Amino acid sequence: MADLTAAVRALPAPRCAYVYDTAVLRSRARLLRAAVPPRTTVLYAVKANGHPAVVRTLAEECDGLEVASGGELALAVTAGARRVVFGGPAKTDAELAAALDAGALLNVESPHELRRLAALGAQADVCLRVNRPGNSLTGSHTMTGTPTPFGIDEAQLPAVLADIPAGLRVIGFHLHAVSNNLDGLAHAGFLTDAITWSIDTARSYGMDLHVVNAGGGLGVDYLSDASIDLAPLSSVRVPDGVELILEPGRYLAADAGWYAAEVLDLKTTHGRTFAILRGGTHHFRLPAAWGYSHPFQILPVDEWPHPYPRLEVTDTPVDAVGELCTPRDVLTRAQHVPRLRTGDILLFPRAGAYGWDISHHDFLRHDPPTFITL
Ligand SMILES: *Cc1c(COP(=O)(O)O)cnc(C)c1O
């Protein structure tokens, strides 16, 4: 925390930054590693945060990386990932070829994709992504048990497995189901069910099962400092000869990032007080995208080098809003502040996953934040 605040204060005003702490990435990865059962492979899902330092750190600390585009694949190769798994419903021929070249394990999402791979001359082991009926998990984004563009409908699986093109061998299934699940017991149940279903399905189609990829979805609670309880995961039994792959993004990266933005102006209109920031949802879109208020901490800055008076509010709820010309540029509604002044900095913790990477950076063409790696 001391390093973090020193790094932010050292920036030129008006301050605006993302700070990523690689020590936190390492400790999250170790916590997860210690919690998962034997024969589990942990891959970091690069889409949560593709900053090269984050990707490099987690390529070292995890068993490898999960990627979903040619751009992420290139990052993973540069980061020296030991294992790469490539998924995504709209892979181009160039991406398929690059994935084969890099020795990545492909999660194939449709029978059409299987035929495209075969036409590229692929000789490869692949997993099939399956959209199973029913879904016991709750979280923010449900991917299975409901109509989605992801994977092969379970009802169509027999026909697909009966017609695997020459050169390809199906070694397992990919069953990523949810995002931001906060219930550890339910997640353990989901893993066990994924393993059981995969074993049964492989057996009924005479297939050798090597891989069960249960995807990501381990959650963090943005309104508290809680995360999913990992303890139940250790009770999941992974049979000999089967590899359980997990692909968490948020769980590993969220706590390793802070978004910091200086208060440029303070005003009250129609009875509501706004802290207007050098920054906003074009840098940190997650709260607006998900419709919640992201809690902030105040980093006081005591210098005030200007000839005009410093604005200050005390003991009041404020809305933290950005520099964009839209009323939707809101990070936090009505957070009570003891004291807030222009020139102080708001620090948003848990901004390391799906922060910068999901934001619409070019809207209004403001300068990007500074990126700091600790
Ligand atoms: C997004 C995604 C992940 C990572 O999800 P988290 O919720 O960040 O853990 C893993 N696998 C696939 C296929 C994904 O689409």
Side-chain angles (χ1 to χ4, degrees), residues 31-38 40 42 181 183-192 195 218 228-238 244 246 251:
L31 268 178
L32 181 57
R33 163 62 59 211
V36 297
T40 302
V42 176
N181 176 33
D183 183 340
L185 212 52
H187 211 86
F190 162 70
L191 299 181
T192 295
I195 293 166
L218 304 173
I228 187 171
D229 177 14
L230 297 178
L233 303 188
S234 65
S235 64
V236 174
R237 222 184 67 72
V238 185
L244 173 67
L246 302 182
Y251 180 85

Side-chain angles (χ1 to χ4, degrees), residues 18-19 28 180 182 219-228 250-251 253-259 284 286-287 292 294-295 297 347-355:
Y18 266 102
V19 185
R28 291 294 270 190
N180 212 32
L182 288 165
V220 305
D221 181 358
Y222 290 105
L223 303 182
S224 73
D225 56 9
S227 297
I228 187 171
R250 190 184 317 274
Y251 180 85
D255 276 355
W258 288 261
Y259 178 56
F284 185 39
L286 187 66
Y292 72 96
H294 200 99
Q297 296 152 22
L347 260 186
F348 297 84
R350 289 212 145 154
Y354 306 108

Side-chain angles (χ1 to χ4, degrees), residues 3 24 38 53 59 67 75 97 115 133 139 147 167 185 285 317 329 347 349 355 364 367:
D3 288 357
V24 177
V67 301
L75 272 173
R115 290 189 283 273
L185 212 52
R285 193 171 77 93
D329 189 14
L347 260 186
L364 267 90
D367 284 339

Side-chain angles (χ1 to χ4, degrees), residues 332-358:
T332 315
R333 288 276 184 214
Q335 180 170 326
H336 184 270
V337 298
R339 179 176 75 153
L340 186 63
R341 302 164 298 179
T342 46
D344 285 340
I345 298 162
L346 299 191
L347 260 186
F348 297 84
R350 289 212 145 154
Y354 306 108
W356 174 252
D357 288 69
I358 64 159

